[in-house]
């Protein structure tokens, strides 16, 4: 792997309600998701076949995510560089009272043209403050696919591995990966 390059600091935007998502940004999110998934990223949408993916595969899943946006339950955190989508993630809270103090991070993505430039790390450094200060959360969780070095990336940002589900993810025939459970106290 090459040295980490940094771009000018990304700008962050939160999308907390469906009507806040402009159609141009929606298209950029779909493009990012398709590009990242097809490049081997671990962000394959639930209910969608394995890559290669198309906008037809990802668009309806993104629309479901956007339709569920609510300031206290679910929001997108978007990073742009010079008005171009560089990365995004989904922060959500489970409404069940036993776990409502915890949030979950899903779909962490850096567009391939911004890889190795600190965008993913910037998103992951930004999200704890949003979760704690704006949503009142006390802990965050996420899952990561083994074999991509993601657990090291998240550990470097203060996350702790709290468990593994061996062989839970079948990426391809004969290629089973662990699902890694990670946590961050806020």
């Amino acid at each position: 792997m090459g040295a980490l390059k940094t771009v000018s600091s990304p700008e962050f935007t939160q999308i907390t309600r469906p009507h806040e998502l402009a159609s141009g940004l929606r298209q950029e999110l779909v493009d990012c998701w398709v590009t990242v998934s097809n490049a081997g990223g671990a962000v394959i949408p639930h209910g969608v076949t394995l890559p290669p993916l198309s906008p037809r595969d990802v668009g309806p899943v993104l629309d479901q995510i956007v339709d569920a946006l609510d300031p206290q339950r679910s929001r997108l955190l978007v990073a742009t560089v010079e008005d171009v989508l560089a990365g995004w993630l989904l922060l959500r809270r489970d409404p069940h009272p036993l776990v409502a103090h915890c949030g979950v991070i899903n779909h962490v993505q850096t567009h391939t043209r911004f890889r190795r430039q600190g965008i993913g790390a910037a998103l992951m450094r930004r999200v704890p403050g949003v979760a704690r200060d704006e949503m009142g959360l006390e802990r965050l969780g996420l899952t990561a696919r083994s074999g991509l070095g993601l657990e090291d990336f998240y550990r470097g940002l203060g996350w702790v591995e709290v468990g593994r589900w061996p062989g839970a993810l079948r990426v391809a025939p004969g290629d089973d990966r662990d699902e890694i459970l990670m946590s961050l106290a806020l």
Side-chain angles (χ1 to χ4, degrees):
M1 286 201 251
L4 180 68
K5 296 182 287 182
T6 56
V7 295
S8 58
S9 295
E11 292 188 26
F12 296 101
T13 304
Q14 292 183 57
I15 311 295
T16 61
R17 298 184 190 281
H19 71 270
E20 295 172 357
L21 183 67
S23 62
L25 179 55
R26 180 200 178 276
Q27 187 56 47
E28 284 187 275
L29 293 168
V30 168
D31 174 65
C32 180
W33 203 339
V34 168
T35 301
V36 168
S37 293
N38 290 343
V43 290
I44 300 166
H46 180 71
V48 174
T49 61
L50 294 176
L53 302 181
S54 74
R56 282 192 321 257
D57 299 317
V58 172
V61 180
L62 181 66
D63 291 341
Q64 289 175 354
I65 290 170
V66 170
D67 288 345
L69 294 176
D70 175 273
Q72 287 304 309
R73 289 191 314 262
S74 180
R75 53 180 69 197
L76 296 175
L77 181 58
V78 175
T80 56
V81 173
E82 298 176 3
D83 297 321
V84 175
L85 177 73
W88 65 282
L89 59 76
L90 174 66
L91 168 61
R92 63 181 181 79
R93 165 201 314 270
D94 189 311
H96 194 285
L98 288 175
V99 292
H101 64 290
C102 298
V104 177
I105 306 296
N106 295 114
H107 310 298
V108 179
Q109 300 179 42
T110 299
H111 199 290
T112 55
R113 67 180 166 254
F114 288 97
R115 291 255 172 100
R116 307 281 314 143
Q117 297 180 33
I119 301 300
L123 279 163
M124 293 305 295
R125 281 192 297 273
R126 180 70 170 231
V127 76
V130 171
R132 180 187 56 247
D133 301 339
E134 297 180 33
M135 294 178 73
L137 297 171
E138 299 171 22
R139 176 171 297 280
L140 293 174
L142 61 79
T143 60
R145 181 194 310 169
S146 68
L148 299 173
L150 297 172
E151 61 269 43
D152 294 333
F153 169 75
Y154 292 120
R155 267 192 217 108
L157 294 166
W159 290 72
V160 176
E161 183 177 328
V162 294
R164 279 184 184 246
W165 187 3
L169 305 172
R170 180 155 291 156
V171 179
D175 187 2
D176 293 351
R177 309 280 179 92
D178 294 354
E179 184 170 38
I180 304 163
L181 309 172
M182 303 198 81
S183 180
L184 179 71
L186 303 175

